[in-house]
């Protein structure tokens, strides 16, 4: 069997003013793609794999149109060169937004379908914070999405997607693919699978997979910070018996709808001022403050400094703040050198809606790197050790701190630009508070401007009735 492999994987807030461009992406081509651990799942299935083009980036703003078109052109050219193929595996995210274009995944996937023709099967894996459309469903045959948030089941999701592809090709069965859009769109931090009701909702899925004729049951939370019509939750099912599929998908979609009022944030939440005050007064440590509105892994810019200003204003001590993206301030720290004291203006270098902080800092650490874009500096002001970075990046793992000479375990307060905490940081939090801070991934979604959303959609609209309506892929037999 000949299987083409590729994808485009990122998450785009339409509220983020900073466009993603080609240098922002990690790109894998040819045999280098297949050598990456990310695609290790393919090693369990015997086939001739034909790598096309795969690009990924942490979440951010919309993709520059020229960048997207170059990516798409290369992807289609390498896919065309791989023909003939029996199947295609696309590793996607689901929350792409391209400058001047809605439903970018629909454009990417339908273009792939046009190249390979009607016969080959296309299987897709998705992030549960991705958005779907009928155009996407109409051009694929098999679908599976993550079942955990934070995401700790990526290989398992890829395995379901790839194994279904091989099952269909080896058996000759052509499964049906159906979906039900659910008019609910909530932030991921209110729908973590570690908290109820999402925990129980997602716990249903493995059992549904064992039902006769069900190959995969999937549930999308959707991506709320994309102001486009397809931003909504959805239930998706792949299998062979129409009656079983329809009963199962209606149950899944209805259970999500019925739980809509029960979703809440896992950690205690508050304003910037409240959370900093709680942290300063806490008798236990480290207190971890998650600055949710500027979370780069959710699409945030990563350069807001309001929390830094509040920490200074409240006289917080023994603080590790990782970090603020500010290329100019980072470069000035490197130019000044280790041990230097200098005045820096930090923050608001990309997002004009935020305010910078100007203060006198001491340079405590400079990461040894040959690339200016990878520079990270630790500077201190009062009792705060602040990480400055030349590029947008998260600090979610213990190693992100220790490589900079910092130990979050011994800090009194740790600040990260995050929503729910990563699996490495969550266990050390004593306790964790989530700041409902401003930003392009504002968790207080009622503050978002919604011009293109479906109407009605919960929680923006509340007084309406809904019943599930099943739609099939046009590739599914009548």
């Amino acid at each position: 069997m000949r299987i083409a492999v590729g994808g485009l994987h990122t998450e785009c807030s339409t509220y983020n003013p900073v466009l993603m461009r080609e240098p922002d992406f990690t790109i894998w081509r040819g045999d280098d793609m297949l050598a990456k651990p990310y695609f290790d799942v393919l090693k369990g299935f015997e086939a001739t794999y034909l790598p096309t083009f795969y690009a990924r980036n942490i979440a951010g703003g919309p993709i520059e149109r020229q960048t997207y078109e170059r990516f798409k052109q290369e992807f289609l050219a390498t896919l065309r060169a791989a023909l003939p193929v029996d199947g295609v595996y696309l590793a996607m995210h689901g929350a792409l937004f391209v400058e001047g274009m809605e439903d970018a995944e629909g454009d990417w996937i339908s273009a792939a379908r046009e190249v390979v023709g009607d016969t080959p099967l296309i299987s897709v894996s998705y992030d549960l914070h991705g958005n779907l459309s009928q155009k996407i469903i109409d051009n694929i045959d098999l679908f599976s999405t993550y079942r955990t948030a934070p995401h700790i089941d990526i290989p398992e999701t890829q395995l379901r997607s790839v194994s279904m592809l091989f099952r269909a090709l080896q058996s000759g069965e052509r499964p049906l693919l159906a979906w039900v859009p659910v008019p609910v769109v909530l932030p991921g931090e209110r729908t973590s699978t570690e908290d109820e009701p999402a925990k129980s909702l997602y716990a249903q899925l493995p059992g549904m997979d064992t039902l006769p004729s069900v190959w995969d049951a999937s549930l999308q939370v959707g991506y709320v910070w994309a102001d486009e019509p397809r931003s909504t939750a959805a239930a998706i099912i792949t299998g062979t018996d129409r009656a079983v599929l329809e009963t199962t998908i209606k149950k899944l979609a209805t259970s999500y709808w019925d739980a809509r009022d029960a979703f809440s944030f896992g950690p205690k939440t508050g304003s910037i001022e409240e959370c900093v005050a709680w942290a300063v007064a806490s008798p236990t440590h480290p207190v971890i403050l998650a600055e949710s509105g500027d979370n780069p892994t959710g699409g945030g810019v990563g350069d807001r400094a309001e929390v830094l200003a509040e920490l200074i204003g409240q006289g917080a001590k023994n603080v590790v703040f990782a970090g603020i993206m500010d290329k100019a301030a980072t470069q000035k720290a490197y130019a000044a050198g280790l041990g230097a004291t200098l005045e820096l203006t930090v923050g608001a270098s990309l997002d004009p809606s935020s305010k910078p902080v100007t203060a006198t800092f001491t340079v405590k650490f400079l990461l040894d790197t040959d690339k200016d874009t990878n520079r990270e500096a630790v500077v201190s002001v009062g009792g705060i050790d602040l990480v400055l970075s030349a590029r947008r990046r998260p600090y979610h793992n213990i190693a992100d701190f220790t490589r900079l000479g910092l130990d979050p375990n011994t800090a009194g307060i740790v600040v990260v630009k995050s929503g729910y905490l990563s699996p490495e940081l969550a266990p050390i939090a004593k306790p964790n508070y989530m700041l409902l801070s401003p930003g392009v991934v504002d968790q207080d979604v009622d503050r978002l401007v919604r011009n293109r959303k479906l109407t009605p959609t919960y929680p923006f609209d509340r007084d309406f009735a809904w019943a599930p309506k099943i739609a099939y892929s046009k590739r599914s037999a009548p």
Side-chain angles (χ1 to χ4, degrees):
M1 282 186 289
R2 294 172 58 83
I3 308 296
V5 182
L8 179 56
H9 190 287
T10 192
E11 186 175 48
C12 305
S13 168
T14 59
Y15 303 99
N16 189 325
V18 184
L19 294 179
M20 294 187 194
R21 293 182 168 84
E22 187 166 346
D24 300 320
F25 286 83
T26 297
I27 300 173
W28 299 335
R29 300 175 171 93
D31 292 338
D32 181 53
M33 180 196 304
L34 300 182
K36 300 297 182 182
Y38 183 77
F39 286 107
D40 277 353
V41 65
L42 301 176
K43 296 176 181 179
F45 301 88
E46 186 174 348
T48 298
Y49 291 105
L50 305 156
T52 57
F53 173 91
Y54 179 82
R56 69 182 299 128
N57 188 23
I58 66 167
I63 302 174
E64 177 194 46
R65 185 62 175 263
Q66 290 181 335
T67 294
Y68 173 78
E69 295 296 348
R70 284 195 298 272
F71 286 175
K72 179 182 169 185
Q73 182 179 21
E74 181 176 349
F75 166 61
L76 296 179
T78 52
L79 182 60
R80 195 172 290 112
L83 297 177
V85 297
D86 300 294
V88 180
Y89 168 54
L90 296 177
M92 309 293 287
H93 180 286
L96 296 179
F97 190 91
V98 174
E99 183 184 27
M101 175 192 294
E102 290 183 344
D103 192 8
E105 275 90 2
D107 180 74
W108 185 275
I109 293 169
S110 63
R113 171 58 68 192
E114 186 174 345
V115 167
V116 301
D118 290 336
T119 302
L121 303 183
I122 296 179
S123 189
V124 175
S125 60
Y126 240 50
D127 186 304
L128 62 86
H129 298 125
N131 297 319
L132 284 165
S133 67
Q134 190 64 43
K135 185 175 184 179
I136 293 169
I137 296 293
D138 280 342
N139 284 284
I140 65 176
D141 301 277
L142 311 130
F143 179 91
S144 192
T145 197
Y146 304 167
R147 292 174 175 176
T148 61
H151 309 315
I152 57 174
D153 69 326
I154 296 172
E156 291 83 354
T157 303
Q158 293 177 301
L159 178 61
R160 290 194 303 274
S161 183
V162 173
S163 62
M164 284 193 294
L165 178 60
F166 276 84
R167 177 178 177 178
L169 290 173
Q170 291 170 346
S171 68
E173 291 182 282
R174 293 297 178 264
L176 304 168
L177 179 64
W179 77 306
V180 174
V182 183
V184 176
V185 59
L186 294 167
E189 284 69 16
R190 277 180 63 182
T191 52
S192 170
T193 59
E194 294 185 346
D195 304 313
E196 296 294 353
K199 184 175 183 179
S200 294
L201 288 168
Y202 277 86
Q204 300 177 85
L205 300 180
M208 290 179 174
D209 289 351
T210 65
L211 295 172
S213 82
V214 175
W215 291 21
D216 181 275
S218 288
L219 181 61
Q220 294 297 127
V221 169
Y223 183 66
V224 69
W225 297 293
D227 185 16
E228 59 174 327
R230 69 186 181 122
S231 298
T232 184
I236 312 94
I237 196 160
T238 308
T240 54
D241 186 297
R242 187 177 294 266
V244 173
L245 297 184
E246 292 191 356
T247 299
T248 306
I249 197 172
K250 284 182 179 179
K251 176 184 176 183
L252 181 57
T254 301
S255 67
Y256 195 84
W257 169 258
D258 289 345
R260 65 192 183 281
D261 289 322
F263 290 102
S264 61
F265 297 113
K268 185 176 179 180
T269 61
S271 67
I272 292 175
E273 296 79 8
E274 289 172 330
C275 290
V276 170
W278 297 336
V280 170
S282 176
T284 56
H285 308 285
V287 179
I288 300 186
L289 301 180
E291 186 188 349
S292 63
D294 199 30
N295 172 20
T297 60
V301 178
D303 74 337
R304 299 187 76 103
E306 291 94 340
V307 177
L308 175 62
E310 190 63 28
L311 290 163
I312 294 172
Q314 292 198 31
K317 304 296 181 183
N318 193 19
V319 178
V320 172
F321 190 146
I324 294 178
M325 183 274 166
D326 190 319
K327 183 177 180 179
T330 304
Q331 305 293 37
K332 287 179 181 179
Y334 272 78
L338 196 62
T341 298
L342 72 163
E343 184 177 274
L344 290 174
T345 296
V346 174
S349 62
L350 297 174
D351 187 347
S353 70
S354 59
K355 295 180 180 180
V357 168
T358 299
T360 300
F361 295 84
T362 300
V363 181
K364 292 187 66 174
F365 184 92
L366 298 171
L367 183 68
D368 186 14
T369 175
D370 295 331
K371 293 185 177 180
D372 288 354
T373 55
N374 291 338
R375 284 182 166 182
E376 295 173 60
V378 179
V379 297
S380 68
V381 56
I384 303 166
D385 286 342
L386 170 68
V387 178
L388 297 173
S389 62
R391 62 184 175 91
R392 295 171 56 252
R393 59 151 300 160
Y395 294 84
H396 286 177
N397 300 318
I398 299 298
D400 296 333
F401 295 82
T402 56
R403 65 197 283 272
L404 302 176
L406 302 170
D407 184 358
N409 290 281
T410 60
I413 301 171
V414 177
V415 183
V416 287
K417 290 181 180 289
S418 182
Y420 44 63
L421 295 185
S422 68
E424 289 195 22
L425 291 182
I428 72 169
K430 299 177 182 178
N432 165 35
Y433 299 125
M434 191 170 74
L435 289 65
L436 299 181
S437 54
V440 302
V441 287
D442 195 335
Q443 298 291 327
D444 187 351
V445 296
D446 288 339
R447 297 190 292 212
L448 299 177
V449 176
R450 302 286 288 179
N451 296 317
R452 298 286 296 141
K453 72 176 179 68
L454 290 174
T455 301
T457 306
Y458 181 92
F460 304 98
D461 309 287
R462 294 175 182 266
D463 187 18
F464 67 100
W466 175 82
K469 295 181 180 179
I470 301 171
Y472 282 90
S473 168
K474 69 178 183 181
R475 293 179 54 77
S476 295

